[in-house]
Amino acid sequence: QVQLVESGGGSVQAGGSLRLTCTASGYTYNMYCMGWFRQAPGKEREKVASISRSGFTSYAAESVKGRFTISRDNAKNTLYLQMSMLNAEDTATYFCAADPSCVRQYNYWGQGTQVIVSS
């Protein structure tokens, strides 16, 4: 059974940094592409970043490019999102998700971790 558990959220002042972690279990981690999504109150969920199976290829949304970095450690079954220069618009619940076939279909989701950025 695929399980994804996020951690690392919290409250931070504008301009600060946080690192989110997603720990995966129940499948062969390095066989799935992974992604981070977020959903702010009253807004639709949006894709923040994604990463290939090997970690050599990644994508970041324009809204976070240059501030957020996605990475993975396949030896530890772990996905990361390093967030810096946070602003109030980054306030949201952040979810990690797994894409088994690397076709941008995320079939498995974590429960989310909340990030609050105060100005």
Side-chain angles (χ1 to χ4, degrees), residues 33-49:
C33 291
M34 300 293 295
W36 285 101
F37 293 75
R38 68 185 180 185
Q39 187 165 21
K43 295 187 177 181
E44 293 189 356
R45 185 176 61 197
E46 65 168 332
K47 185 178 180 181
V48 174

Side-chain angles (χ1 to χ4, degrees), residues 57-98:
T57 304
S58 64
Y59 157 86
E62 284 300 319
S63 59
V64 305
K65 197 170 287 185
R67 301 187 299 121
F68 291 12
T69 301
I70 187 172
S71 62
R72 66 191 296 166
D73 186 336
N74 286 343
K76 296 182 178 179
N77 288 6
T78 303
L79 178 73
Y80 303 101
L81 184 68
Q82 179 67 48
M83 307 186 293
S84 61
M85 295 183 287
L86 287 159
N87 57 59
E89 287 69 41
D90 297 317
T91 294
T93 298
Y94 285 72
F95 302 88
C96 70

Side-chain angles (χ1 to χ4, degrees), residues 6-11 17-22 81 83 113-115:
E6 302 95 335
S7 61
S11 296
S17 300
L18 279 176
R19 187 176 80 160
L20 304 184
T21 299
C22 173
L81 184 68
M83 307 186 293
T113 186
Q114 191 171 35
V115 172

Side-chain angles (χ1 to χ4, degrees), residues 2 5 16 28 34 49 59 61 63 75 100-101 107 110-111:
V2 176
V5 179
T28 303
M34 300 293 295
Y59 157 86
S63 59
S101 300
N107 296 340
Q111 83 290 347

